[in-house]
């Protein structure tokens, strides 16, 4: 595909997303029916679409319209790309710019914050002076981070295997398990290091949270909102114990057995209706459903879909999970509440409400990481029963 044809394809996919199709589905749908597109084409189109979604509002202003073409034009103008070459009209390429479009991209627009309007005041209050840096970071691409599985290898040894796989990495200071991929991100999933469970994809903020908690061999650990099991496997990399996975939607755990096998970890999957028979647990970890606002640079379409009503609904579920999960913790055990959110409503406010309503529990430690820390946003609170 020519660079211009990739742009035209990204425009059409953006229009599909703007009409309500989730981004991943729109991209997969296009890739399926476009066998002529090679892996480099697919990667380039994906990058164009995600860059445009991250900066959707400001790009629409710069491009002079809020459809796929306007947004794509705007984001390329922001990046000072060669617009005449990319909008050449050759073959399957994007049509040449109209006079109105030329005028729009030439106009100076104030760079707005690329966040839904309703959430800006809330985030400004919650993040304080860190707001501008976070808002800006959410407009940028995210680094690819790996977690080294300490059960199987060391960080140095994993780096060598990754190098043989064609993946260059650098250690990250925030967690002793973390590597940032510098070159070859698309080779990770097919490489030896990943396939043999030496590394997993995981942001450094989750790794740092798990590293900051006190783990002891022999504990029975329940991941109450296990999903794909990312947190549980990170915990298992740090201790020997018995590991249990639970999720209200068991389908969300379908990748977990294969991931656990790769990592060399035994995980017992517990059906929602039999969880109390397995209690009590020494640790109950609740990686609750949340806005995902700390990870919006990775899932930028979620940012634009998120509403105040969704936040209210999530807050109710989060409080309910914390309440239910606390009843599964053994006397003297540890309860952990975690989100990948930047919003106090999902983080500190939930924690404060829980200890107010349950005075037998107290907070041992809480930590909020934001994108200003060089990671995704992540919050956790560790509770103990007094
Ligand atoms: C943030 S995701 C978990 C991600 C996972 N821990 C990981 O690291 O890969 C939240 C999970 O909570 C689950 N969930 C939603 N409501 C729940 C509830 N009431 N009880 C337990 N799990 C719930 C969702 O199905 C989803 O898989």
């Amino acid at each position: 595909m020519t660079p211009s044809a990739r742009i035209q394809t990204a425009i059409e996919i953006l229009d599909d997303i703007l009409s309500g199709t989730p981004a991943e589905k729109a991209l997969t749908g296009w890739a399926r029916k476009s066998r002529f597109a090679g892996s480099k084409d697919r990667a380039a189109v994906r990058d164009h679409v995600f860059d445009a979604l991250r900066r959707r509002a400001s790009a629409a202003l710069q491009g002079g319209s809020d459809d796929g073409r306007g947004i794509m034009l705007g984001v390329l103008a922001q990046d000072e790309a060669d617009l005449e070459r990319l909008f050449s009209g050759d073959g399957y390429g994007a049509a040449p710019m109209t006079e109105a479009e030329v005028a729009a991209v030439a106009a100076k627009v104030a760079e707005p914050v690329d966040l839904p309007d309703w959430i800006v005041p809330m985030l400004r209050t919650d993040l304080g002076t860190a707001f501008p840096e976070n808002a800006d970071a959410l407009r940028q691409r995210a680094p690819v981070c790996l977690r080294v599985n300490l059960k199987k290898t060391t960080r140095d040894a994993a780096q060598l295997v990754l190098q043989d796989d064609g993946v260059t990495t650098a250690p990250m200071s925030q967690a002793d398990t973390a590597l940032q991929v510098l070159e070859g991100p698309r080779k990770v999933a097919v490489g030896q290091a990943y396939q043999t469970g030496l590394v997993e994809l995981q942001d450094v903020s989750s790794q740092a949270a798990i590293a900051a908690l006190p783990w002891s061999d022999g504990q029975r650990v329940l991941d109450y909102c296990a999903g794909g099991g990312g947190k549980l496997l990170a915990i298992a990399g740090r201790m020997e114990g018995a590991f249990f996975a639970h999720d209200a939607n068991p389908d969300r755990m379908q990748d977990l057995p294969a991931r656990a096998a790769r990592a060399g970890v035994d995980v017992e999957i517990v059906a929602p209706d039999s969880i109390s028979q397995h209690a009590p647990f020494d640790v109950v970890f609740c990686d609750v459903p949340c806005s995902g606002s700390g990870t919006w640079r990775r899932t930028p379409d979620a940012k634009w879909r998120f509403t105040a009503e969704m936040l209210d609904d999530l807050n109710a579920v989060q409080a309910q999970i914390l309440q239910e999960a606390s009843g599964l913790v053994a006397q003297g055990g540890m309860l952990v509440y975690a989100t990948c959110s930047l919003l106090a409503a999902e983080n500190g406010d939930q924690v404060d409400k829980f200890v107010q309503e349950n005075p037998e529990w107290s907070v041992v430690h809480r930590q909020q990481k934001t994108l200003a820390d060089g990671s995704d946003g992540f919050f956790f609170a560790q509770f103990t029963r007094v």
Side-chain angles (χ1 to χ4, degrees):
M1 291 172 76
T2 63
S4 182
R6 288 173 175 173
I7 297 295
Q8 179 56 28
T9 302
I11 288 171
E12 288 165 20
I13 294 172
L14 277 170
D15 282 331
D16 191 12
I17 295 167
L18 293 172
S19 74
T21 308
E24 289 299 344
K25 194 170 172 210
L27 281 159
T28 320
W30 165 74
R32 271 211 197 102
K33 62 177 195 233
S34 310
R35 297 282 172 210
F36 58 86
S39 61
K40 285 198 175 128
D41 294 322
R42 289 202 297 273
V45 167
R46 184 185 178 84
D47 283 346
H48 283 316
V49 168
F50 274 74
D51 285 346
L53 287 173
R54 279 184 207 101
R55 289 180 268 158
R56 194 178 112 178
S58 62
L61 271 183
Q62 187 69 70
S65 122
D66 59 5
D67 59 8
R69 183 174 165 97
I71 295 169
M72 202 63 240
L73 200 51
V75 93
L76 291 168
Q78 286 179 354
D79 291 343
E80 297 178 8
D82 182 347
L83 295 179
E84 270 184 36
R85 186 175 71 93
L86 293 175
F87 288 77
S88 62
D90 291 345
Y92 296 100
M97 287 189 287
T98 62
E99 275 180 27
E101 286 174 339
V102 171
V105 295
K108 184 104 188 105
V109 297
E111 239 175 50
V113 174
D114 278 303
L115 288 163
D117 290 344
W118 71 270
I119 212 166
V120 171
M122 198 182 276
L123 271 175
R124 268 191 206 284
T125 306
D126 293 349
L127 290 167
T129 54
F131 174 78
E133 203 175 336
N134 274 271
D136 189 51
L138 287 172
R139 301 177 75 239
Q140 319 289 331
R141 288 186 191 172
V144 177
C145 302
L146 301 175
R147 175 179 57 77
V148 174
N149 180 5
L150 298 179
K151 248 188 169 53
K152 289 201 167 185
T153 188
T154 62
R155 184 157 68 171
D156 289 348
Q159 273 192 285
L160 293 176
V161 182
L162 285 161
Q163 193 65 52
D164 284 345
D165 290 339
V167 182
T168 309
T169 55
M172 300 183 81
S173 59
Q174 299 101 315
D176 61 356
T177 47
L179 290 171
Q180 180 171 344
V181 175
L182 304 178
E183 278 170 42
R186 298 185 209 279
K187 295 182 181 152
V188 170
V190 291
Q192 186 75 356
Y194 180 83
Q195 294 288 337
T196 59
L198 304 185
V199 296
E200 264 285 353
L201 285 157
Q202 188 166 54
D203 184 63
V204 65
S205 56
S206 305
Q207 300 185 49
I210 303 291
L213 288 160
W215 305 105
S216 303
D217 285 345
Q219 288 178 321
R220 284 162 52 82
V221 179
L222 170 67
D223 188 344
Y224 191 74
C225 304
K231 308 299 180 303
L232 188 60
L233 296 179
I235 295 167
R238 296 200 161 267
M239 60 171 282
E240 298 298 329
F243 302 102
F244 300 85
H246 164 274
D247 197 293
N249 181 356
D251 286 351
R252 297 288 298 265
M253 297 189 285
Q254 67 190 20
D255 294 341
L256 181 47
R259 264 178 112 181
R262 223 169 36 228
V265 178
D266 278 334
V267 174
E268 183 171 343
I269 294 188
V270 183
D273 56 1
S274 68
I275 188 73
S276 55
Q277 292 156 34
H278 289 74
F281 300 92
D282 302 304
V283 179
V284 178
F285 195 98
C286 306
D287 184 23
V288 300
C290 71
S291 61
S293 44
T295 62
W296 275 344
R297 58 186 174 167
R298 298 181 195 275
T299 54
D301 59 332
K303 164 170 83 173
W304 301 110
R305 289 183 209 284
F306 194 59
T307 63
E309 292 72 31
M310 287 162 76
L311 179 58
D312 285 346
D313 290 348
L314 281 167
N315 283 162
V317 174
Q318 291 159 351
Q320 187 194 348
I321 289 176
L322 200 41
Q323 198 60 50
E324 283 170 9
S326 65
L328 302 170
V329 184
Q331 200 58 44
M334 171 165 83
L335 174 66
V336 182
Y337 175 87
T339 74
C340 53
S341 172
L342 299 168
L343 297 167
E346 301 185 275
N347 297 339
D349 293 358
Q350 291 284 15
V351 169
D352 293 344
K353 179 167 163 279
F354 175 72
V355 290
Q356 235 166 38
E357 291 173 1
N358 299 273
E360 70 277 23
W361 286 98
S362 65
V363 180
V364 180
H365 182 52
R366 68 169 101 186
Q367 192 177 88
Q368 172 79 69
K369 293 285 180 200
T370 78
L371 288 92
D373 297 300
S375 64
D376 287 349
F378 196 85
F379 172 86
F380 77 89
Q382 173 197 349
F383 303 90
T384 188
R385 207 173 348 219
V386 283

